């Protein structure tokens, strides 16, 4: 837990231009609840963020993946994480994937 000013929460819709507003800060989307699917957050959201970062002139993007992410996985979560990695690579080819 950080001190005041170190942790800031932003409400952002992953499908809109408001994503650009949070790019100055670290972005870590939460788990899917009832409002968004795994694909919305891990794939579409990752693509929107990577594209906005590239357009904003961000020099280094780090995308955090999940262990065992695979498009062939029986897990929808891991499938969506793998698709998100591919989306980030398409939009921001020099991104670091962890």
């Amino acid at each position: 837990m950080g001190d005041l000013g170190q942790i800031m929460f932003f409400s952002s819709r992953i499908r809109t231009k408001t994503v650009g507003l949070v790019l100055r800060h670290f972005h870590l989307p939460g788990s899917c609840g009832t409002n968004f699917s795994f694909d919305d957050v891990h794939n579409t959201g990752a693509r929107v963020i990577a594209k906005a970062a590239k357009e904003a002139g961000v020099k280094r993007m780090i995308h955090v993946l999940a262990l065992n992410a695979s498009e062939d996985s029986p897990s929808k979560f891991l499938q969506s994480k793998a698709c998100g990695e591919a989306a980030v690579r398409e939009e921001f080819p020099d991104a670091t994937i962890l």
Side-chain angles (χ1 to χ4, degrees):
M1 196 71 186
D3 286 335
L4 183 62
Q6 290 181 329
I7 297 176
M8 298 181 296
F9 296 93
F10 293 89
S11 176
S12 178
R13 300 211 181 270
I14 59 175
R15 296 183 186 137
T16 68
K17 293 183 181 183
T18 59
V19 168
L21 298 174
V22 298
L23 286 176
R24 295 180 314 221
H25 308 283
F26 182 79
H27 177 78
L28 182 63
S31 293
C32 300
T34 57
N35 295 326
F36 298 102
S37 69
F38 287 140
D39 189 63
D40 288 336
V41 176
H42 303 144
N43 184 9
T44 304
R47 179 181 299 281
V48 168
I49 291 166
K51 184 176 182 181
K54 191 71 165 175
E55 290 173 356
V58 170
K59 293 181 186 195
R60 178 147 198 148
M61 178 177 176
I62 299 172
H63 178 75
V64 181
L65 192 61
L67 291 175
N68 297 322
S70 169
E71 291 181 25
D72 297 328
S73 173
S75 163
K76 297 292 182 191
F77 174 85
L78 293 174
Q79 288 174 17
S80 66
K81 292 295 277 187
C83 290
E85 178 183 352
V88 168
R89 287 264 182 239
E90 286 176 18
E91 300 295 339
F92 204 114
D94 295 332
T96 300
I97 309 287
L98 298 176

XYZ file of all heavy atoms in Angstrom:
744
model
N 0.845 -1.175 0.000
C 0.000 0.000 0.000
C 0.884 1.229 0.000
O 1.828 1.310 0.769
C -0.880 -0.056 1.248
C -2.045 0.855 1.228
S -3.245 0.247 0.040
C -4.381 1.572 0.095
N 0.594 2.162 -0.843
C 1.401 3.371 -0.932
C 0.839 4.503 -0.099
O -0.281 4.460 0.387
N 1.648 5.513 0.063
C 1.213 6.711 0.766
C 0.315 7.545 -0.138
O 0.208 7.301 -1.339
C 2.423 7.553 1.181
C 3.178 6.940 2.342
O 2.569 6.176 3.112
O 4.378 7.223 2.471
N -0.290 8.563 0.432
C -1.168 9.461 -0.311
C -0.462 9.971 -1.568
O 0.676 10.429 -1.506
C -1.573 10.635 0.580
C -2.556 11.624 -0.034
C -3.879 10.942 -0.353
C -2.779 12.781 0.909
N -1.100 9.854 -2.683
C -0.543 10.307 -3.947
C 0.219 9.241 -4.704
O 0.546 9.421 -5.869
N 0.521 8.125 -4.069
C 1.227 7.056 -4.757
C 0.271 6.088 -5.436
O 0.625 5.450 -6.404
C 2.115 6.290 -3.777
C 3.289 7.105 -3.299
C 4.158 6.311 -2.349
O 3.669 5.460 -1.621
N 5.440 6.591 -2.357
N -0.909 5.958 -4.887
C -1.920 5.098 -5.494
C -3.111 5.980 -5.837
O -3.681 6.639 -4.975
C -2.357 3.966 -4.546
C -1.173 3.061 -4.247
C -3.513 3.176 -5.151
C -1.469 1.966 -3.255
N -3.434 6.016 -7.119
C -4.569 6.814 -7.561
C -5.475 5.916 -8.377
O -5.014 5.141 -9.210
C -4.094 7.999 -8.390
C -3.211 8.952 -7.589
S -2.657 10.379 -8.513
C -1.660 9.651 -9.788
N -6.746 6.014 -8.122
C -7.710 5.202 -8.850
C -8.383 6.065 -9.900
O -8.759 7.202 -9.641
C -8.754 4.623 -7.888
C -8.140 3.682 -6.887
C -7.725 4.127 -5.646
C -7.956 2.351 -7.208
C -7.150 3.262 -4.733
C -7.382 1.471 -6.305
C -6.973 1.932 -5.062
N -8.510 5.525 -11.084
C -9.170 6.212 -12.183
C -10.274 5.308 -12.698
O -10.084 4.111 -12.823
C -8.203 6.465 -13.345
C -7.109 7.429 -13.026
C -5.920 6.995 -12.493
C -7.286 8.784 -13.271
C -4.906 7.875 -12.199
C -6.269 9.668 -12.983
C -5.082 9.225 -12.455
N -11.377 5.913 -13.019
C -12.429 5.175 -13.684
C -12.242 5.411 -15.174
O -12.201 6.550 -15.629
C -13.798 5.692 -13.230
O -14.804 5.024 -13.947
N -12.087 4.350 -15.915
C -11.869 4.479 -17.347
C -12.585 3.349 -18.060
O -12.545 2.208 -17.617
C -10.371 4.412 -17.642
O -10.142 4.484 -19.021
N -13.227 3.670 -19.114
C -13.867 2.645 -19.922
C -12.847 2.185 -20.952
O -12.302 2.992 -21.685
C -15.113 3.184 -20.593
C -16.132 3.676 -19.577
C -17.531 3.484 -20.115
N -18.504 3.964 -19.183
C -19.052 3.220 -18.227
N -18.713 1.970 -18.104
N -19.948 3.722 -17.420
N -12.592 0.899 -21.006
C -11.509 0.392 -21.834
C -11.750 0.550 -23.328
O -10.848 0.347 -24.114
C -11.198 -1.083 -21.516
C -12.424 -1.951 -21.750
C -10.647 -1.231 -20.132
C -12.174 -3.435 -21.588
N -12.928 0.945 -23.703
C -13.224 1.089 -25.127
C -13.257 2.546 -25.581
O -13.682 2.835 -26.684
C -14.564 0.452 -25.446
C -14.587 -1.026 -25.212
C -15.926 -1.593 -25.620
N -15.989 -2.980 -25.258
C -17.038 -3.545 -24.708
N -18.115 -2.855 -24.450
N -17.022 -4.810 -24.407
N -12.823 3.470 -24.761
C -12.926 4.883 -25.117
C -11.578 5.569 -25.051
O -10.580 5.015 -24.614
C -13.893 5.619 -24.168
O -13.297 5.654 -22.865
C -15.245 4.947 -24.110
N -11.570 6.832 -25.470
C -10.338 7.604 -25.474
C -9.878 7.993 -24.076
O -8.780 8.496 -23.912
C -10.529 8.854 -26.329
C -10.722 8.508 -27.786
C -10.834 9.722 -28.652
C -11.041 9.278 -30.088
N -11.094 10.378 -31.010
N -10.673 7.735 -23.047
C -10.243 8.059 -21.688
C -9.045 7.219 -21.272
O -8.352 7.568 -20.322
C -11.372 7.865 -20.655
O -11.810 6.505 -20.686
C -12.536 8.784 -20.923
N -8.778 6.156 -22.000
C -7.610 5.330 -21.700
C -6.351 6.188 -21.777
O -5.440 6.054 -20.969
C -7.517 4.129 -22.664
C -6.177 3.433 -22.549
C -8.639 3.152 -22.377
N -6.300 7.109 -22.722
C -5.133 7.973 -22.858
C -4.853 8.800 -21.622
O -3.708 9.140 -21.336
N -5.871 9.107 -20.863
C -5.687 9.907 -19.659
C -4.925 9.166 -18.580
O -4.246 9.779 -17.760
C -7.050 10.345 -19.105
C -7.889 11.232 -20.014
C -9.259 11.464 -19.385
C -7.193 12.546 -20.288
N -5.027 7.860 -18.547
C -4.348 7.096 -17.504
C -2.970 6.596 -17.934
O -2.259 6.017 -17.135
C -5.206 5.909 -17.009
C -6.490 6.382 -16.402
C -5.445 4.896 -18.102
N -2.584 6.857 -19.160
C -1.303 6.352 -19.634
C -0.114 7.020 -18.961
O 0.983 6.490 -18.992
C -1.184 6.502 -21.147
C -2.023 5.506 -21.939
C -1.919 5.799 -23.416
C -1.581 4.092 -21.651
N -0.301 8.156 -18.352
C 0.799 8.806 -17.641
C 1.120 8.045 -16.372
O 2.115 8.286 -15.728
C 0.422 10.246 -17.286
C 0.223 11.129 -18.490
C -0.130 12.501 -18.024
N -1.145 12.410 -16.977
C -2.172 13.209 -16.858
N -2.356 14.167 -17.706
N -3.036 13.066 -15.875
N 0.248 7.158 -15.999
C 0.386 6.414 -14.760
C 0.424 4.924 -15.091
O 0.124 4.507 -16.188
C -0.810 6.710 -13.832
C -1.035 8.169 -13.649
N -0.266 8.941 -12.833
C -1.926 9.008 -14.219
C -0.688 10.190 -12.888
N -1.689 10.243 -13.723
N 0.754 4.128 -14.138
C 0.740 2.685 -14.288
C -0.707 2.236 -14.445
O -1.579 2.711 -13.750
C 1.371 2.054 -13.035
C 1.464 0.574 -13.094
C 2.458 -0.052 -13.817
C 0.553 -0.211 -12.408
C 2.550 -1.425 -13.860
C 0.635 -1.586 -12.436
C 1.642 -2.190 -13.169
N -0.947 1.352 -15.356
C -2.314 0.878 -15.587
C -2.369 -0.619 -15.314
O -1.633 -1.395 -15.905
C -2.737 1.151 -17.028
C -4.097 0.633 -17.327
N -5.230 1.281 -16.945
C -4.498 -0.479 -17.945
C -6.284 0.573 -17.321
N -5.851 -0.499 -17.939
N -3.237 -1.005 -14.418
C -3.423 -2.421 -14.129
C -4.914 -2.666 -13.976
O -5.499 -2.347 -12.958
C -2.682 -2.815 -12.852
C -2.755 -4.288 -12.462
C -2.097 -5.158 -13.530
C -2.064 -4.493 -11.133
N -5.557 -3.194 -15.014
C -6.994 -3.423 -14.912
C -7.309 -4.523 -13.912
O -6.532 -5.461 -13.756
C -7.396 -3.834 -16.322
C -6.164 -4.375 -16.930
C -5.009 -3.651 -16.289
N -8.409 -4.369 -13.255
C -8.838 -5.377 -12.291
C -9.455 -6.574 -12.983
O -9.625 -6.593 -14.193
N -9.768 -7.555 -12.210
C -10.423 -8.748 -12.735
C -11.775 -8.399 -13.328
O -12.377 -7.404 -12.956
C -10.658 -9.762 -11.616
O -9.465 -10.250 -11.145
N -12.220 -9.246 -14.166
C -13.521 -9.039 -14.774
C -14.606 -9.243 -13.725
O -14.572 -10.193 -12.965
C -13.746 -10.037 -15.901
S -12.542 -9.913 -17.193
N -15.523 -8.358 -13.708
C -16.675 -8.520 -12.846
C -17.855 -8.850 -13.721
O -17.749 -9.651 -14.643
N -18.954 -8.215 -13.489
C -20.135 -8.481 -14.299
C -20.220 -7.546 -15.496
O -21.009 -7.777 -16.393
C -21.403 -8.321 -13.442
O -21.413 -7.001 -12.894
C -21.439 -9.355 -12.344
N -19.401 -6.485 -15.520
C -19.506 -5.488 -16.582
C -18.680 -5.806 -17.821
O -18.985 -5.329 -18.898
C -19.103 -4.116 -16.057
C -20.048 -3.623 -14.994
O -21.241 -3.888 -15.048
N -19.514 -2.929 -14.016
N -17.604 -6.572 -17.662
C -16.720 -6.844 -18.783
C -16.360 -8.321 -18.813
O -16.176 -8.944 -17.777
C -15.431 -6.024 -18.669
C -15.660 -4.549 -18.709
C -15.631 -3.808 -17.543
C -15.910 -3.895 -19.902
C -15.845 -2.446 -17.561
C -16.128 -2.533 -19.933
C -16.098 -1.806 -18.762
N -16.189 -8.844 -20.004
C -15.763 -10.237 -20.160
C -14.241 -10.314 -20.070
O -13.548 -9.290 -20.110
C -16.214 -10.773 -21.518
O -15.483 -10.136 -22.559
N -13.708 -11.514 -19.968
C -12.263 -11.685 -20.012
C -11.710 -11.069 -21.297
O -10.688 -10.401 -21.292
C -11.876 -13.167 -19.968
C -12.049 -13.815 -18.627
C -12.546 -15.103 -18.546
C -11.695 -13.163 -17.460
C -12.681 -15.736 -17.314
C -11.835 -13.783 -16.220
C -12.341 -15.071 -16.153
N -12.386 -11.328 -22.425
C -11.928 -10.797 -23.705
C -11.931 -9.265 -23.705
O -11.013 -8.644 -24.233
C -12.800 -11.335 -24.840
C -12.219 -10.995 -26.199
O -11.108 -11.473 -26.507
O -12.861 -10.231 -26.942
N -12.956 -8.646 -23.111
C -13.007 -7.181 -23.034
C -11.774 -6.621 -22.344
O -11.173 -5.653 -22.807
C -14.243 -6.709 -22.246
C -15.542 -6.885 -22.984
O -15.545 -6.931 -24.232
O -16.579 -6.980 -22.301
N -11.402 -7.206 -21.218
C -10.305 -6.679 -20.418
C -8.948 -7.109 -20.957
O -8.076 -6.280 -21.193
C -10.452 -7.108 -18.938
C -9.250 -6.647 -18.124
C -11.736 -6.549 -18.352
N -8.746 -8.406 -21.162
C -7.420 -8.924 -21.484
C -7.031 -8.793 -22.939
O -5.841 -8.722 -23.251
C -7.321 -10.395 -21.080
C -7.601 -10.616 -19.639
N -8.256 -11.742 -19.187
C -7.350 -9.870 -18.538
C -8.381 -11.661 -17.876
N -7.838 -10.543 -17.460
N -7.985 -8.770 -23.836
C -7.685 -8.718 -25.259
C -7.998 -7.327 -25.812
O -7.091 -6.573 -26.150
C -8.469 -9.804 -25.994
C -8.135 -9.880 -27.461
O -7.214 -9.251 -27.946
N -8.890 -10.660 -28.202
N -9.269 -6.974 -25.861
C -9.651 -5.662 -26.391
C -9.025 -4.534 -25.583
O -8.475 -3.587 -26.148
C -11.188 -5.510 -26.407
O -11.743 -6.595 -27.161
C -11.604 -4.189 -27.009
N -9.088 -4.642 -24.266
C -8.513 -3.604 -23.412
C -7.018 -3.465 -23.611
O -6.483 -2.361 -23.703
N -6.315 -4.593 -23.692
C -4.867 -4.559 -23.910
C -4.541 -3.910 -25.255
O -3.596 -3.124 -25.367
C -4.296 -5.971 -23.843
N -5.325 -4.214 -26.280
C -5.110 -3.611 -27.600
C -5.318 -2.100 -27.551
O -4.514 -1.331 -28.078
C -6.042 -4.227 -28.643
C -5.862 -3.617 -30.038
C -6.814 -4.227 -31.054
N -6.607 -5.653 -31.218
C -5.630 -6.206 -31.953
N -4.759 -5.433 -32.577
N -5.540 -7.519 -32.052
N -6.401 -1.668 -26.925
C -6.695 -0.233 -26.835
C -5.568 0.496 -26.096
O -5.119 1.564 -26.519
C -8.058 0.002 -26.133
C -8.251 1.455 -25.764
C -9.193 -0.485 -27.030
N -5.100 -0.078 -25.010
C -4.029 0.542 -24.225
C -2.733 0.597 -25.033
O -2.059 1.628 -25.076
C -3.830 -0.213 -22.901
C -5.045 0.012 -22.000
C -2.539 0.228 -22.211
C -5.131 -0.931 -20.825
N -2.374 -0.497 -25.694
C -1.143 -0.524 -26.487
C -1.204 0.481 -27.631
O -0.231 1.206 -27.891
C -0.893 -1.930 -27.027
N -2.336 0.559 -28.293
C -2.494 1.508 -29.401
C -2.423 2.947 -28.898
O -1.735 3.786 -29.485
C -3.823 1.258 -30.117
C -4.019 2.127 -31.325
C -5.291 1.790 -32.063
C -5.416 2.669 -33.299
N -6.632 2.391 -34.037
N -3.102 3.233 -27.799
C -3.071 4.580 -27.233
C -1.670 4.945 -26.765
O -1.224 6.087 -26.933
C -4.066 4.689 -26.079
N -0.957 3.982 -26.203
C 0.411 4.231 -25.755
C 1.309 4.572 -26.940
O 2.096 5.514 -26.891
C 0.959 3.016 -25.010
N 1.179 3.820 -28.014
C 1.974 4.077 -29.216
C 1.662 5.463 -29.772
O 2.569 6.226 -30.092
C 1.681 2.985 -30.252
C 2.621 2.975 -31.416
C 3.973 2.487 -30.983
C 4.820 2.133 -32.192
N 6.167 1.782 -31.809
N 0.378 5.790 -29.849
C -0.035 7.092 -30.376
C 0.395 8.249 -29.474
O 0.634 9.351 -29.953
C -1.550 7.123 -30.586
C -1.998 6.230 -31.729
C -3.510 6.109 -31.854
O -4.242 6.661 -31.005
O -3.957 5.442 -32.804
N 0.514 7.989 -28.179
C 0.919 9.023 -27.230
C 2.432 9.181 -27.166
O 2.941 10.029 -26.445
C 0.368 8.698 -25.837
N 3.154 8.348 -27.892
C 4.606 8.449 -27.912
C 5.303 7.789 -26.734
O 6.456 8.092 -26.432
N 4.592 6.867 -26.072
C 5.204 6.136 -24.964
C 6.380 5.342 -25.516
O 6.258 4.679 -26.540
C 4.167 5.191 -24.294
C 4.834 4.243 -23.317
C 3.083 6.004 -23.625
N 7.519 5.455 -24.841
C 8.726 4.801 -25.346
C 8.851 3.355 -24.900
O 9.428 2.536 -25.587
C 9.951 5.579 -24.896
C 10.000 6.932 -25.541
C 11.211 7.713 -25.146
C 11.021 9.088 -25.752
N 12.123 9.901 -25.820
N 8.314 3.039 -23.738
C 8.445 1.671 -23.226
C 7.129 1.226 -22.625
O 6.599 1.874 -21.736
C 9.531 1.610 -22.183
C 9.681 0.241 -21.589
C 11.087 -0.032 -21.236
N 11.263 -1.459 -21.078
C 12.357 -2.075 -21.354
N 13.356 -1.404 -21.831
N 12.467 -3.363 -21.173
N 6.628 0.111 -23.091
C 5.407 -0.459 -22.554
C 5.735 -1.844 -22.005
O 6.412 -2.634 -22.661
C 4.339 -0.583 -23.625
C 3.073 -1.210 -23.112
S 1.787 -1.274 -24.357
C 0.538 -2.146 -23.451
N 5.255 -2.106 -20.805
C 5.425 -3.427 -20.194
C 4.037 -4.018 -19.992
O 3.197 -3.420 -19.339
C 6.177 -3.334 -18.853
C 7.572 -2.738 -19.081
C 6.258 -4.710 -18.193
C 8.320 -2.431 -17.823
N 3.822 -5.163 -20.602
C 2.535 -5.849 -20.509
C 2.736 -7.094 -19.650
O 3.627 -7.898 -19.916
C 2.048 -6.231 -21.908
C 0.763 -6.980 -21.923
N -0.452 -6.384 -21.691
C 0.496 -8.289 -22.155
C -1.410 -7.303 -21.773
N -0.865 -8.462 -22.054
N 1.922 -7.244 -18.615
C 2.042 -8.398 -17.726
C 1.062 -9.480 -18.165
O -0.139 -9.259 -18.201
C 1.787 -8.001 -16.259
C 1.931 -9.207 -15.337
C 2.747 -6.894 -15.840
N 1.603 -10.615 -18.504
C 0.814 -11.749 -18.967
C 0.506 -12.659 -17.785
O 0.750 -12.293 -16.646
C 1.631 -12.497 -20.039
C 0.926 -13.542 -20.879
C -0.222 -12.917 -21.667
C 1.885 -14.167 -21.858
N -0.024 -13.794 -18.022
C -0.302 -14.786 -16.977
C 0.462 -16.064 -17.312
O 0.645 -16.393 -18.486
C -1.796 -15.084 -16.905
N 0.906 -16.766 -16.284
C 1.560 -18.044 -16.522
C 0.603 -18.987 -17.250
O -0.591 -19.003 -16.979
C 1.972 -18.677 -15.195
C 3.102 -17.980 -14.452
C 3.314 -18.644 -13.096
C 4.385 -18.006 -15.261
N 1.136 -19.739 -18.177
C 0.373 -20.740 -18.939
C -0.659 -20.144 -19.889
O -1.568 -20.848 -20.327
C -0.289 -21.761 -18.017
C 0.718 -22.567 -17.240
O 1.761 -22.923 -17.771
N 0.434 -22.829 -15.983
N -0.544 -18.860 -20.205
C -1.473 -18.276 -21.175
C -1.280 -18.951 -22.523
O -0.162 -19.110 -23.003
C -1.231 -16.772 -21.298
N -2.376 -19.363 -23.112
C -2.316 -20.060 -24.391
C -3.683 -19.992 -25.057
O -4.702 -20.177 -24.394
C -1.928 -21.525 -24.185
O -2.116 -22.258 -25.377
N -3.672 -19.753 -26.340
C -4.940 -19.734 -27.074
C -5.572 -21.119 -27.113
O -6.766 -21.245 -27.359
C -4.717 -19.189 -28.485
C -4.368 -17.709 -28.489
C -4.171 -17.140 -29.879
O -4.724 -17.687 -30.850
O -3.460 -16.126 -29.980
N -4.790 -22.158 -26.854
C -5.293 -23.540 -26.842
C -5.706 -24.010 -25.456
O -6.122 -25.158 -25.291
C -4.225 -24.493 -27.387
C -3.878 -24.192 -28.831
O -4.765 -23.747 -29.579
O -2.706 -24.391 -29.206
N -5.588 -23.156 -24.469
C -5.907 -23.545 -23.095
C -7.401 -23.842 -22.946
O -8.235 -23.218 -23.600
C -5.522 -22.417 -22.137
O -5.964 -22.712 -20.834
N -7.757 -24.770 -22.077
C -9.179 -24.991 -21.788
C -9.769 -23.846 -20.950
O -10.973 -23.705 -20.853
C -9.195 -26.301 -21.005
C -7.824 -26.462 -20.469
C -6.897 -25.749 -21.411
N -8.911 -22.998 -20.395
C -9.349 -21.878 -19.562
C -9.623 -20.640 -20.414
O -8.749 -20.166 -21.154
C -8.256 -21.554 -18.535
O -8.444 -20.276 -17.981
N -10.826 -20.091 -20.320
C -11.175 -18.861 -21.050
C -10.286 -17.705 -20.602
O -9.912 -16.854 -21.397
C -12.652 -18.502 -20.845
C -13.615 -19.525 -21.379
C -13.550 -19.575 -22.891
C -14.574 -20.572 -23.417
N -14.388 -20.859 -24.820
N -9.959 -17.672 -19.312
C -9.079 -16.640 -18.769
C -7.721 -16.683 -19.474
O -7.230 -15.666 -19.968
C -8.904 -16.851 -17.260
C -7.896 -15.929 -16.622
C -8.271 -14.662 -16.204
C -6.586 -16.331 -16.439
C -7.345 -13.811 -15.623
C -5.656 -15.490 -15.854
C -6.041 -14.215 -15.440
N -7.107 -17.865 -19.539
C -5.783 -18.000 -20.146
C -5.829 -17.796 -21.659
O -4.875 -17.285 -22.248
C -5.169 -19.348 -19.785
C -4.837 -19.513 -18.293
C -4.365 -20.929 -18.001
C -3.807 -18.483 -17.844
N -6.926 -18.172 -22.299
C -7.089 -17.904 -23.728
C -7.096 -16.398 -23.985
O -6.431 -15.899 -24.893
C -8.391 -18.499 -24.246
C -8.411 -19.992 -24.360
C -9.787 -20.511 -24.739
O -10.644 -19.776 -25.217
N -10.009 -21.797 -24.523
N -7.862 -15.669 -23.169
C -7.975 -14.226 -23.368
C -6.654 -13.523 -23.076
O -6.303 -12.544 -23.735
C -9.103 -13.637 -22.517
O -8.811 -13.743 -21.135
N -5.885 -14.019 -22.098
C -4.580 -13.427 -21.801
C -3.617 -13.632 -22.983
O -2.866 -12.731 -23.340
C -3.990 -14.018 -20.520
C -4.733 -13.658 -19.253
C -4.666 -12.171 -18.948
C -3.379 -11.819 -18.245
N -3.322 -10.431 -17.774
N -3.646 -14.808 -23.601
C -2.801 -15.078 -24.765
C -3.193 -14.198 -25.949
O -2.332 -13.655 -26.648
C -2.881 -16.554 -25.153
N -4.482 -14.030 -26.160
C -4.948 -13.158 -27.246
C -4.538 -11.709 -26.976
O -4.207 -10.964 -27.905
C -6.460 -13.261 -27.403
S -7.000 -14.845 -28.077
N -4.549 -11.326 -25.714
C -4.118 -9.974 -25.343
C -2.650 -9.746 -25.647
O -2.262 -8.668 -26.103
N -1.831 -10.756 -25.399
C -0.410 -10.631 -25.732
C -0.239 -10.396 -27.231
O 0.523 -9.528 -27.660
C 0.361 -11.878 -25.324
C 1.831 -11.805 -25.711
C 2.624 -13.062 -25.386
O 2.096 -13.967 -24.724
O 3.792 -13.120 -25.808
N -0.954 -11.167 -28.035
C -0.876 -11.005 -29.490
C -1.347 -9.613 -29.903
O -0.743 -8.975 -30.772
C -1.707 -12.088 -30.181
N -2.397 -9.121 -29.274
C -2.919 -7.791 -29.592
C -1.900 -6.710 -29.250
O -1.692 -5.770 -30.027
C -4.226 -7.548 -28.833
N -1.249 -6.845 -28.093
C -0.218 -5.878 -27.702
C 0.930 -5.913 -28.700
O 1.424 -4.872 -29.141
C 0.279 -6.143 -26.265
C 1.548 -5.345 -25.955
C -0.811 -5.809 -25.262
N 1.356 -7.105 -29.085
C 2.452 -7.234 -30.053
C 2.096 -6.570 -31.396
O 2.958 -5.983 -32.045
C 2.784 -8.694 -30.294
C 3.489 -9.321 -29.143
C 4.991 -9.285 -29.370
N 5.653 -9.931 -28.257
C 6.542 -9.336 -27.483
N 6.869 -8.083 -27.705
N 7.108 -9.969 -26.507
N 0.837 -6.687 -31.811
C 0.424 -6.060 -33.082
C 0.463 -4.539 -32.987
O 0.883 -3.865 -33.917
C -0.998 -6.505 -33.429
C -1.094 -7.926 -33.914
C -2.532 -8.355 -34.161
O -3.431 -7.491 -34.295
O -2.783 -9.576 -34.179
N -0.001 -3.985 -31.862
C -0.108 -2.536 -31.722
C 1.181 -1.880 -31.261
O 1.447 -0.725 -31.597
C -1.229 -2.180 -30.742
C -2.608 -2.661 -31.149
C -3.123 -2.007 -32.425
O -2.636 -0.913 -32.805
O -4.020 -2.600 -33.065
N 1.978 -2.577 -30.450
C 3.199 -2.015 -29.857
C 4.274 -3.107 -29.932
O 4.591 -3.751 -28.925
C 2.939 -1.622 -28.417
C 3.850 -0.564 -27.869
C 3.376 0.676 -27.526
C 5.194 -0.838 -27.649
C 4.216 1.653 -27.005
C 6.044 0.119 -27.135
C 5.555 1.369 -26.813
N 4.861 -3.322 -31.123
C 5.766 -4.458 -31.328
C 6.952 -4.535 -30.374
O 7.451 -5.610 -30.089
C 6.237 -4.282 -32.773
C 5.182 -3.459 -33.424
C 4.633 -2.565 -32.341
N 7.405 -3.398 -29.867
C 8.561 -3.393 -28.974
C 8.193 -3.531 -27.504
O 9.050 -3.391 -26.625
C 9.367 -2.102 -29.164
C 9.984 -2.027 -30.555
O 10.262 -3.092 -31.140
O 10.190 -0.901 -31.054
N 6.939 -3.818 -27.206
C 6.517 -3.960 -25.814
C 7.263 -5.112 -25.149
O 7.586 -6.112 -25.784
C 5.006 -4.214 -25.733
N 7.506 -4.944 -23.871
C 8.090 -6.014 -23.070
C 6.949 -6.807 -22.469
O 6.065 -6.239 -21.843
C 8.968 -5.427 -21.938
O 10.015 -4.662 -22.544
C 9.554 -6.530 -21.074
N 6.952 -8.108 -22.677
C 5.908 -8.975 -22.157
C 6.498 -9.768 -20.995
O 7.474 -10.484 -21.151
C 5.369 -9.954 -23.227
C 4.971 -9.235 -24.506
C 4.231 -10.797 -22.656
C 3.715 -8.431 -24.462
N 5.904 -9.622 -19.819
C 6.351 -10.387 -18.648
C 5.353 -11.489 -18.362
O 4.185 -11.316 -18.440
C 6.437 -9.492 -17.401
C 7.428 -8.350 -17.493
C 7.329 -7.507 -16.229
C 8.831 -8.865 -17.652
